Amino acid sequence: MAEIGTTKYNAGTIDTSVDGDTTDFTATIGKHYVIPYATGTPAANLVITLPATPDIGNAVSYTMTTADATYHVDFVASSINGTAYSSGGSYALIEAGDSVTFRYVDATVGWIVAANSIAGAYGSLSIEGGTTATTFGGSSTDFTNKSQITVFDTDGSSLAMTPVNAQDHLVIRRTGEYQLFATVSFIGGSTDVYSLAFFKNNGVTKLGSRTTRKIGSGATDTGACSVSALETLTAGDTVELFIQNETDTSDCTIQDCVFSAIQI
């Protein structure tokens, strides 16, 4: 007879014997797994497979007590909320304290998320008082001759995301919807028009719309503008900020810039 409701979950035990650092495993119904993921030296994501033949009402839960800066805990199931689910999705455990409980409904719906305390994700990069010129190989209005802004020198606060000022990008660690935002002040060629936009994965795919700013005619005129986008990003994506000169090849100098992403 199928177990219904919370019977199996309430009878669950805390299993601290699972070595969540190095070994993928298939979960057992009715257990709450405490996963000290950062114990040892993780070399890859830990993948947990949800039980394949559960009864209606069965449940299993997980809490990550320590986290790794690079790798995380993934789940694989034939169906979560009616859709096949594989690694890198919304329920990945990335930060210490992330917790999720799955409950089985039926063969059509599969597993559902009965409860979770998974934090969102955010991160930022910044530069203040920059003096390094950004150069262009030509002018363009379609970002054919774009240049990545590569002057960031500070990683801002972050959660479930990795800012890397050495590579001037944000590394997405949790799949989801993100608000991207940047404010930029810069100097450039007299009366030149510059435009900015977000790209992902080293400039391969443009995200959202561009924003433009025309520099004044004064020798030291500073342009200031902001750009934003709302995009779906996947774990492993990188996000960068690019600029182009729409008028000629005059370079520009990014003086101040804050570039951030927040999961919504």
Side-chain angles (χ1 to χ4, degrees), residues 183-257:
T183 58
V184 187
S185 61
F186 60 96
I187 57 176
S190 176
T191 70
D192 281 7
V193 174
Y194 295 86
S195 54
L196 298 103
F198 298 107
F199 282 75
K200 70 176 181 179
N201 300 331
N202 299 311
V204 173
T205 304
K206 183 168 170 286
L207 303 173
S209 301
R210 68 178 183 178
T211 189
T212 60
R213 180 68 163 85
K214 183 176 182 179
I215 299 294
S217 58
T220 59
D221 282 348
T222 299
C225 64
S226 62
V227 58
S228 63
L230 181 63
E231 296 289 336
T232 299
L233 298 171
T234 302
D237 283 344
T238 63
V239 184
E240 304 87 31
L241 183 60
F242 281 79
I243 188 168
Q244 65 181 355
N245 187 328
E246 298 193 4
T247 305
D248 54 38
T249 60
S250 297
D251 59 20
C252 69
T253 298
I254 307 298
Q255 297 176 317
D256 307 297
C257 181

Side-chain angles (χ1 to χ4, degrees), residues 9 31 34 45 47 63 83 110-111 113-114 121 137 145 164 174 190 208 258:
Y9 179 57
K31 289 193 175 184
V34 176
N45 295 333
V47 179
T63 298
T83 304
W111 294 90
V113 178
N145 291 307
V164 187
R174 190 187 303 285
S190 176
V258 177

Side-chain angles (χ1 to χ4, degrees), residues 51-195:
T53 57
D55 289 329
I56 294 172
N58 283 170
V60 63
S61 66
Y62 311 86
T63 298
M64 189 161 70
T65 56
T66 57
D68 181 74
T70 302
Y71 301 110
H72 58 266
V73 176
D74 273 330
F75 298 100
V76 173
S78 58
S79 177
I80 296 180
N81 293 339
T83 304
Y85 184 88
S86 59
S87 60
S90 302
Y91 311 119
L93 306 183
I94 297 174
E95 296 291 338
D98 281 357
S99 180
V100 62
T101 299
F102 298 104
R103 186 173 300 285
Y104 187 75
V105 176
D106 57 30
T108 300
V109 176
W111 294 90
I112 63 169
V113 178
N116 78 81
S117 60
I118 295 174
Y122 59 82
S124 67
L125 296 167
S126 65
I127 173 71
E128 187 172 338
T131 59
T132 302
T134 297
T135 60
F136 304 95
S139 63
S140 62
T141 58
D142 59 358
F143 289 94
T144 302
N145 291 307
K146 65 184 183 294
S147 291
Q148 184 181 352
I149 294 178
T150 58
V151 297
F152 295 107
D153 59 10
T154 302
D155 294 339
S157 60
S158 63
L159 181 73
M161 186 182 301
T162 307
V164 187
N165 72 74
Q167 298 181 38
D168 301 284
H169 64 204
L170 300 173
V171 181
I172 302 301
R173 299 189 65 194
R174 190 187 303 285
T175 297
E177 296 288 331
Y178 286 83
Q179 176 73 58
L180 308 177
F181 188 76
T183 58
V184 187
S185 61
F186 60 96
I187 57 176
S190 176
T191 70
D192 281 7
V193 174
Y194 295 86
S195 54

Side-chain angles (χ1 to χ4, degrees), residues 4-24:
I4 300 174
T6 61
T7 303
K8 196 70 173 181
Y9 179 57
N10 288 341
T13 60
I14 303 299
D15 187 340
T16 57
S17 65
V18 175
D19 184 0
D21 302 334
T22 58
T23 307
D24 297 346

